[in-house]
Amino acid sequence: LLYCRLYCEEAKDPKRRSCQTVLAEALDIVVRSFAPILPHLAEEVFQYIPYKKDSESVFRTGWINASSAWKKPGIEEAIEGACAMRDSFLGSISGKNALEYEVIIVIEPGLLFELMEALQAEETSSVSQLNEIMMASQTTLLSELPKETPSDANIIKGTFLINLEGGDICEQSSYKVIARPIAKAKCPRCRRYTAESTSTPCPRCLQVLAAGKGGT
């Protein structure tokens, strides 16, 4: 996830910038948390933070006061649900390279499906937040099994309990996960199997490179 966002996206792409913001916030909180017991280490780390700070010392920053903007209703449940499906996917491929597969997630219409839609608006994507969590090269989100699903397909079934608003909204949802080898070639830049050939970057990487801001 970090590799794709930090090294494969354009320098000013919102995905890359949001990742940097989360890392900066996490570092700030961790450094200030262990400052009372590891003062010298905390101060040294603080002095090497590569962005502008409001204080000259970690001991003048005050205590941790995380912004309420970080708490968005449903996001925690969406991530936990996606991680549960990822565990089902990874368990079904027995330690093989997840990038060599595409994932099909089937969820009946309901709250869990809506939460997954917040992570992937398109039916099929190789660049969505849901696909990044799944660690696959491509993820498809459906409300019913595809008609062309083989009868011998390895379908992993699972359930996820959603608790929102302190338990006021509670729903047990079932899901199905299908993993199948992806037919595309490995992109020489982002290493995902989303290219037409091994010598040509995938469409996403071609777009970044064309903008003149992507690395190789």
Side-chain angles (χ1 to χ4, degrees), residues 136-210:
S137 280
Q138 180 176 286
T139 297
T140 299
L141 179 62
L142 301 173
S143 58
E144 58 183 15
L145 281 173
K147 294 180 180 179
E148 67 275 12
T149 303
S151 58
D152 60 347
N154 184 19
I155 302 176
I156 309 301
K157 299 180 180 180
T159 60
F160 182 73
L161 179 63
I162 301 170
N163 275 300
L164 292 172
E165 305 296 333
D168 292 338
I169 301 176
C170 186
E171 182 177 300
Q172 181 90 13
S173 300
S174 60
Y175 62 84
K176 299 181 181 72
V177 174
I178 305 172
R180 60 187 186 189
I182 195 162
K184 294 186 178 180
K186 185 178 182 179
C187 173
R189 182 174 181 272
C190 69
R191 311 302 183 190
R192 285 181 174 172
Y193 288 75
T194 51
E196 297 302 321
S197 71
T198 56
S199 60
T200 305
C202 66
R204 189 274 300 271
C205 287
L206 285 174
Q207 183 178 0
V208 174
L209 293 170

Side-chain angles (χ1 to χ4, degrees), residues 94-114:
S94 303
K96 297 178 182 177
N97 184 0
L99 290 174
E100 296 179 0
Y101 289 83
E102 62 174 322
V103 181
I104 299 174
I105 299 173
V106 182
I107 309 171
E108 293 184 359
L111 185 54
L112 182 59
F113 187 87
E114 293 175 4

